[in-house]
Amino acid sequence: MSAHVIADDAEALAVAGALAEEFRAGACARDTERRLPRAELDRLSASGLLAVTVPAEHGGADVSALTLAEIFRLLGAADGSLAQIPQSHFAYVNVIRRQGTPQQQKFFFAELLAGRRFGNAQSEAGTKHVQDIRTRLTARPDGSYVLTGVKHYSTGALFADWIPVLARAEADHLHVAYVPRDAPGVTVVDDWDGMGQRTTASGTVRLADVPVPADRVLPHHLTFEGPQLHGAVAQLLHAAIDAGIAGGALAEAAEFVRTKSRPWFESGLDSAAEDPLLIQRFGELALQVRSAEALLREAARAVDAARADLTDDTAAEASIAVAAAKVRAAQAAVEVAGALFEVAGTRSALNSLNLHRHWRDARTHTLHDPTRWKIQHIGRYVLNGTRPPRHGLL
């Protein structure tokens, strides 16, 4: 596989904008038919966008968090399913940046620049909670490992070249094993049947005595022993997807009202788009989208500032800023996507139009982690100066 190498932030944004327009055209049909976006992901890989966080010393553009968030917002506005697939890809690129040895970084950054994709195998079903990880990395006498377990909600794994697997090793410490998609003992099952984000293929990964060389394992537990941005960056991308879905839903609602909706007979108007009550409602919805986008940009700048000077205080500020952006973006995505029907009228509910995909994507994606806990951490920080905890969901 070969891929274009993006030079800088400006080129990354231009490429993302062009691809988003391309992907938007087929989003409705892909969702309706549950047609998995293999060709679109190949386009994404070939474009070089999946390597934009590779450090400059390894030949990458090393774009800012502000640029990365905007890339995901653009993709989310075009297709809420497609945008979700590479979210974990970038989270596990960050693990390599933070915990990889020079040799591991050299190898994997070259893979990324060549267009290789990371999936994920982290969540498990039936455990006590989301961080109760039971997949095991068992050491062999030669220093290699054997990986065993079952993962669920494995977005991107079906399309991946490498599947980063979250597992426990010695002393129950969390590690990430980077496993080839076609490694012996790896089975990826496309059994995702969510009502939204239908084409993410977020199914099951089964790991049966998978051999893993020692140089493909990274000590993820060390990520959280000091100030870190792992959770902030991962959550920033989730917030960007939500903000994108909200903006995409608003744009489609406006187009529908301008071109298809009939005015209410009591208005005495010839066009629904001239109805002052609808105009008022669109103004309210636009405020929700704009506030989500503004908080997203503010959060991305906080992440960039912390990245330049990483301390307990800057990391905490970045996490709180991202939490605020995530809460607002999640609210906007669900509310604006639901209001689409309110403003567009009865015809918009036709299943054949599939306008409900925006709400289904928003409602499904915003279930990743509860915003109520983010609000709690924001409140503790503002009232008592309590720094948020160090974990990958904040």
Side-chain angles (χ1 to χ4, degrees):
M1 182 184 294
S2 62
H4 173 69
V5 177
I6 288 174
D8 53 29
D9 292 62
E11 184 183 4
L13 291 173
V15 170
L19 283 179
E21 286 304 310
E22 181 181 320
F23 296 159
R24 179 178 287 107
C28 180
R30 284 193 297 273
D31 180 88
T32 298
E33 301 164 13
R34 198 180 178 271
R35 175 159 37 89
L36 300 182
R38 296 182 186 276
E40 289 76 15
L41 287 169
D42 286 344
R43 291 277 292 121
L44 199 62
S45 290
S47 75
L49 276 182
L50 296 182
V52 294
T53 58
V54 170
E57 59 267 30
H58 288 272
D62 202 7
V63 301
S64 67
L66 184 62
T67 292
L68 190 62
E70 179 63 6
I71 289 169
F72 272 81
R73 189 194 68 79
L74 290 168
L75 294 175
D79 184 336
S81 283
L82 184 54
Q84 177 58 31
I85 294 171
Q87 188 274 338
S88 291
H89 169 97
F90 284 98
Y92 285 104
V93 173
N94 275 349
V95 174
I96 295 170
R97 289 186 61 138
R98 176 120 175 146
Q99 298 301 338
T101 65
Q103 293 77 19
Q104 288 171 326
Q105 291 178 351
K106 180 180 179 181
F107 174 80
F108 279 114
F109 291 152
E111 287 285 282
L112 294 167
L113 289 170
R116 305 288 191 270
R117 293 193 291 265
F118 291 165
N120 96 82
Q122 52 188 16
S123 293
E124 300 178 12
T127 57
K128 184 176 180 180
H129 51 68
V130 70
Q131 293 199 330
D132 181 15
I133 303 298
R134 302 184 183 179
T135 298
R136 301 297 306 189
L137 268 172
T138 303
R140 287 172 159 176
D142 64 359
S144 67
Y145 295 88
V146 173
L147 182 61
T148 305
V150 179
K151 298 291 188 175
H152 299 269
Y153 313 114
S154 302
T155 304
L158 191 68
F159 314 109
D161 298 290
W162 292 89
I163 303 176
V165 180
L166 199 59
R168 295 198 181 276
E170 303 88 5
D172 277 347
H173 288 318
L174 278 178
H175 289 66
V176 178
Y178 289 75
V179 179
R181 164 70 178 81
D182 58 357
V186 174
T187 304
V188 181
V189 184
D190 179 21
D191 56 0
W192 170 244
D193 66 347
M195 68 173 182
Q197 295 198 305
R198 289 175 172 176
T199 62
T200 59
S202 300
T204 301
V205 173
R206 302 185 187 281
L207 306 151
D209 297 328
V210 179
V212 185
D215 62 357
R216 297 294 179 262
V217 177
L218 281 73
H220 191 36
H221 63 285
L222 297 180
T223 298
F224 306 102
E225 290 189 358
Q228 52 83 34
L229 297 172
H230 180 81
V233 172
Q235 290 296 304
L236 181 72
L237 302 187
H238 281 308
I241 294 167
D242 289 339
I245 292 172
L250 183 63
E252 188 146 8
E255 176 66 14
F256 194 94
V257 170
R258 283 193 299 265
T259 61
K260 296 181 179 67
S261 294
R262 296 183 298 177
W264 184 242
F265 73 96
E266 290 180 285
S267 72
L269 298 168
D270 295 326
S271 168
E274 297 173 343
D275 184 338
L277 298 181
L278 280 180
I279 290 171
Q280 175 73 20
R281 188 66 177 123
F282 268 97
E284 294 168 349
L285 297 175
L287 285 175
Q288 293 193 47
V289 173
R290 282 174 175 261
S291 65
E293 292 174 351
L295 283 174
L296 180 69
R297 290 189 294 270
E298 177 183 291
R301 292 188 183 103
V303 170
D304 282 329
R307 183 176 165 186
D309 178 24
L310 187 59
T311 66
D312 285 331
D313 288 336
T314 61
E317 183 58 37
S319 288
I320 292 298
V322 171
K326 181 64 171 66
V327 170
R328 192 68 195 98
Q331 292 171 343
V334 173
E335 293 174 15
V336 174
L340 182 155
F341 305 99
E342 169 197 339
V343 296
T346 305
R347 186 182 173 192
S348 65
L350 292 177
N351 195 56
S352 58
L353 295 177
N354 197 22
L355 293 176
H356 47 70
R357 73 184 184 280
H358 299 290
W359 184 87
R360 289 187 289 99
D361 283 348
R363 185 64 282 176
T364 301
H365 181 253
T366 55
L367 298 176
H368 267 86
D369 44 272
T371 56
R372 60 186 176 272
W373 276 98
K374 297 184 188 304
I375 295 170
Q376 283 284 310
H377 292 308
I378 294 168
R380 293 189 183 108
Y381 184 74
V382 171
L383 184 61
N384 298 317
T386 304
R387 295 189 187 112
R390 293 170 178 161
H391 58 62
L393 298 177
L394 193 67

